[in-house]
Amino acid sequence: MAGTGVFAEIVDGDVYLYYTEGEWKPSSSGKNVPIINPTTMKTQYKVQACSQEEVNKIMESSKTAQKLWAKTPLWKRAELLHKAAAILKEHKAPIAECLVKEIAKPAKDAVTEVVRSGDLISYTAEEGVRTLGQGKFLVSDSFPGNERTKYCLTSKVPLGVILAIPPFNYPVNLAVSKIAPALIAGNSIVLKPPTQGAVAALHMVHCFHLAGFPKGLISCVTGKGSVIGDFLTMHPGVNCISFTGGDTGVSISNKAGMIPLQMELGGKDACIVLEDADLDLVAANIVKGGFSYSGQRCTAVKLVLIMESIADAVVKKVNAKVAKLTVGPPEDDCDITPVVTESSANFIEGLVMDAKQKGATFCQEYKREGNLIWPLFLDNVRPEMRIAWEEPFGPVLPVIRIKSVEEGIHHCNASNFGLQGCVFTKDIAKAIMISDAMESGTIQINSAPARGPDHFPFQGFKDSGIGSQGITNSIEMMVKVKSTVINLPSPSYTMG
Ligand code: G3H
């Protein structure tokens, strides 16, 4: 059970502690932040409301720990990461329980998130051992000149203190996708988990603690965004921010200053369906891509663009599948579970009502109880509707019927987002041409958008992000290149 057994030391009474200098501590603020269970809408857990002074101390210890860690051999870093991965997987049940209670993730998906996170950590350890030892050797003529007098050796050195801010929908997996590359590359980590998902993240951090990482190398600070949010992201001790989330990322990037940023801020991933597509495959991908975890994935299918001639057939097949989705509590492993907060549910409802008022066709009855919204496929959506452009992050999926492929591409490219997209067709040449024309970080051919496999590059264009993620790219992102140039004395120097 969460907060018991090996996890007993991370909680005091009914309030979870924060992690600093290798210890679990209460905040001197004496305050805490409640975490509301999206299903019961009651307080499920409480976490510490840390103060700015505590953030300052964390930054200091993080900097000190990083200097020593940078000198730790790669094999040793990897060994500890493998150990953390094994401990995490061993304790998948209590961590998954937190995900069910905090973010209403369906029970089986919650376990999958933890297991995937362990695998991600292990892969990162192995990838880091292989790639971080590789530098470059360059030669040049003298500059200016024409004799070979310059030799350059490059290596990869850590950035320093990495601030990791994952989102509510993958509080464990999108935390370790930042933590593991940072650590293998010789950096220290300050983790600020999302409020919903913080307790799962604290359990995950404890697995790193049990693995035996040095004190101060990993810290986890919880609290109110209004108190420590800007303070953390603008802190002079931070050398890089890796953020996944919503609009807050824009304000972080405006305030962060001259440090590397890795950002993923959501998307409006469109699915373009051509006449020759396998319609059963299309329907299966639209439903899985649009409705898994109730549409609360940045890579969820968020818009379907179908050629008019096949639209009726696709809508019929999708509706048949939507009718089979189970709706209810995450403990019962339902397909559709309550969305994360009441304000999210209200936002989704606002998009639905706007579409209704402007004439969209509801393929199912709109139904909501608390944070639980029944799956809804909206046909005949038009560009003047908000849902044609905005990201619901809920189980609500709009369809626009298109007359040409160009119309579909034009709509996608007019969006502020550019995370992923997908195209369904048997004509591979056409699919590649569409991929080339779409202004998105990734285009999937004949499959719904997805971040994984976790070593694939993952990046957003336009307002969807900065930088590229995925295991290899994240490791590269969390180092800087250092050059040492050997200069021979002079072109006239002789060996004799
Ligand atoms: O929510 C954002 C995630 O990066 C999506 O990951 O495609 O594995 O669900 P996923």
Side-chain angles (χ1 to χ4, degrees), residues 139-151 485-491:
V139 294
S140 175
D141 298 333
S142 55
F143 183 72
N146 53 16
E147 290 192 44
R148 180 162 297 180
T149 59
K150 286 181 178 285
Y151 295 81
V485 180
I486 304 160
N487 291 278
L488 296 189
S490 81

Short mmCIF file of all heavy atoms in Angstrom, two decimals, residues 139-151 485-491:
data_model
loop_
_atom_site.label_atom_id
_atom_site.label_comp_id
_atom_site.label_asym_id
_atom_site.label_seq_id
_atom_site.Cartn_x
_atom_site.Cartn_y
_atom_site.Cartn_z
N VAL A 139 40.66 17.92 -37.10
CA VAL A 139 41.96 18.52 -37.45
C VAL A 139 41.72 19.69 -38.37
O VAL A 139 40.72 19.77 -39.08
CB VAL A 139 42.90 17.50 -38.15
CG1 VAL A 139 43.28 16.39 -37.20
CG2 VAL A 139 42.27 16.96 -39.41
N SER A 140 42.65 20.64 -38.34
CA SER A 140 42.49 21.80 -39.23
C SER A 140 43.85 22.34 -39.62
O SER A 140 44.83 22.21 -38.88
CB SER A 140 41.70 22.89 -38.52
OG SER A 140 41.64 24.05 -39.33
N ASP A 141 43.85 22.99 -40.76
CA ASP A 141 45.02 23.79 -41.13
C ASP A 141 45.11 24.95 -40.15
O ASP A 141 44.14 25.27 -39.46
CB ASP A 141 44.84 24.34 -42.55
CG ASP A 141 44.73 23.20 -43.56
OD1 ASP A 141 45.29 22.12 -43.29
OD2 ASP A 141 44.06 23.40 -44.59
N SER A 142 46.27 25.57 -40.09
CA SER A 142 46.36 26.74 -39.21
C SER A 142 45.34 27.76 -39.70
O SER A 142 44.90 27.74 -40.85
CB SER A 142 47.78 27.30 -39.21
OG SER A 142 48.18 27.57 -40.52
N PHE A 143 44.97 28.65 -38.85
CA PHE A 143 43.77 29.47 -39.11
C PHE A 143 44.13 30.93 -38.91
O PHE A 143 44.18 31.38 -37.76
CB PHE A 143 42.69 29.01 -38.13
CG PHE A 143 41.38 29.70 -38.31
CD1 PHE A 143 40.57 29.42 -39.38
CD2 PHE A 143 40.95 30.65 -37.38
CE1 PHE A 143 39.34 30.04 -39.53
CE2 PHE A 143 39.73 31.28 -37.53
CZ PHE A 143 38.92 30.98 -38.60
N PRO A 144 44.44 31.74 -39.90
CA PRO A 144 44.50 31.36 -41.33
C PRO A 144 45.82 30.66 -41.64
O PRO A 144 46.75 30.71 -40.83
CB PRO A 144 44.42 32.71 -42.03
CG PRO A 144 45.06 33.67 -41.08
CD PRO A 144 44.77 33.17 -39.70
N GLY A 145 45.90 30.05 -42.75
CA GLY A 145 47.13 29.38 -43.14
C GLY A 145 46.83 28.11 -43.86
O GLY A 145 45.68 27.78 -44.13
N ASN A 146 47.87 27.36 -44.17
CA ASN A 146 47.61 26.14 -44.94
C ASN A 146 48.40 24.95 -44.43
O ASN A 146 48.61 23.99 -45.14
CB ASN A 146 47.90 26.40 -46.42
CG ASN A 146 49.29 26.96 -46.61
OD1 ASN A 146 50.10 26.88 -45.68
ND2 ASN A 146 49.56 27.52 -47.76
N GLU A 147 48.88 25.03 -43.17
CA GLU A 147 49.55 23.86 -42.62
C GLU A 147 48.72 23.27 -41.50
O GLU A 147 48.06 24.01 -40.75
CB GLU A 147 50.93 24.24 -42.10
CG GLU A 147 51.87 24.58 -43.22
CD GLU A 147 53.30 24.67 -42.74
OE1 GLU A 147 53.72 23.80 -41.95
OE2 GLU A 147 53.98 25.63 -43.12
N ARG A 148 48.78 21.97 -41.36
CA ARG A 148 47.96 21.31 -40.33
C ARG A 148 48.58 21.55 -38.95
O ARG A 148 49.55 20.90 -38.56
CB ARG A 148 47.87 19.82 -40.66
CG ARG A 148 47.05 19.06 -39.66
CD ARG A 148 46.62 17.74 -40.20
NE ARG A 148 45.76 17.90 -41.36
CZ ARG A 148 45.23 16.88 -42.02
NH1 ARG A 148 45.49 15.66 -41.64
NH2 ARG A 148 44.45 17.09 -43.05
N THR A 149 48.03 22.50 -38.22
CA THR A 149 48.62 22.83 -36.91
C THR A 149 47.62 22.75 -35.77
O THR A 149 47.96 22.98 -34.63
CB THR A 149 49.18 24.27 -36.92
OG1 THR A 149 48.11 25.15 -37.22
CG2 THR A 149 50.31 24.43 -37.90
N LYS A 150 46.35 22.46 -36.09
CA LYS A 150 45.33 22.50 -35.03
C LYS A 150 44.61 21.16 -34.90
O LYS A 150 44.16 20.60 -35.89
CB LYS A 150 44.31 23.61 -35.31
CG LYS A 150 44.86 25.00 -35.06
CD LYS A 150 43.82 26.06 -35.32
CE LYS A 150 44.37 27.44 -35.03
NZ LYS A 150 44.47 27.71 -33.59
N TYR A 151 44.51 20.71 -33.68
CA TYR A 151 43.79 19.47 -33.37
C TYR A 151 42.76 19.79 -32.30
O TYR A 151 43.09 20.44 -31.30
CB TYR A 151 44.76 18.40 -32.87
CG TYR A 151 45.74 17.96 -33.93
CD1 TYR A 151 46.89 18.71 -34.20
CD2 TYR A 151 45.51 16.81 -34.67
CE1 TYR A 151 47.78 18.33 -35.18
CE2 TYR A 151 46.39 16.42 -35.66
CZ TYR A 151 47.53 17.17 -35.91
OH TYR A 151 48.39 16.78 -36.89
N VAL A 485 41.62 22.50 -27.74
CA VAL A 485 42.32 22.62 -29.03
C VAL A 485 43.82 22.58 -28.79
O VAL A 485 44.36 23.34 -27.98
CB VAL A 485 41.92 23.93 -29.74
CG1 VAL A 485 42.65 24.05 -31.07
CG2 VAL A 485 40.42 23.99 -29.95
N ILE A 486 44.47 21.65 -29.47
CA ILE A 486 45.93 21.54 -29.37
C ILE A 486 46.53 22.31 -30.54
O ILE A 486 46.22 22.03 -31.70
CB ILE A 486 46.37 20.06 -29.44
CG1 ILE A 486 45.65 19.25 -28.35
CG2 ILE A 486 47.89 19.93 -29.33
CD1 ILE A 486 45.63 17.77 -28.63
N ASN A 487 47.35 23.28 -30.22
CA ASN A 487 47.97 24.11 -31.27
C ASN A 487 49.45 23.76 -31.37
O ASN A 487 50.18 23.87 -30.37
CB ASN A 487 47.81 25.58 -30.92
CG ASN A 487 46.36 26.03 -31.00
OD1 ASN A 487 45.87 26.33 -32.07
ND2 ASN A 487 45.66 26.02 -29.87
N LEU A 488 49.89 23.34 -32.52
CA LEU A 488 51.32 23.08 -32.70
C LEU A 488 52.04 24.43 -32.73
O LEU A 488 51.44 25.47 -33.08
CB LEU A 488 51.56 22.30 -33.97
CG LEU A 488 50.94 20.89 -33.97
CD1 LEU A 488 51.41 20.11 -35.19
CD2 LEU A 488 51.28 20.10 -32.71
N PRO A 489 53.29 24.48 -32.32
CA PRO A 489 53.97 25.76 -32.09
C PRO A 489 53.89 26.74 -33.27
O PRO A 489 53.49 27.87 -33.10
CB PRO A 489 55.41 25.35 -31.82
CG PRO A 489 55.35 23.95 -31.39
CD PRO A 489 54.15 23.33 -32.02
N SER A 490 54.25 26.29 -34.47
CA SER A 490 54.17 27.19 -35.62
C SER A 490 54.37 26.37 -36.87
O SER A 490 54.94 25.27 -36.81
CB SER A 490 55.23 28.28 -35.55
OG SER A 490 56.45 27.76 -36.02
N PRO A 491 53.94 26.86 -37.96
CA PRO A 491 54.10 26.10 -39.21
C PRO A 491 55.59 25.79 -39.49
O PRO A 491 55.90 24.81 -40.16
CB PRO A 491 53.52 27.03 -40.28
CG PRO A 491 52.63 27.95 -39.54
CD PRO A 491 53.23 28.11 -38.18
#
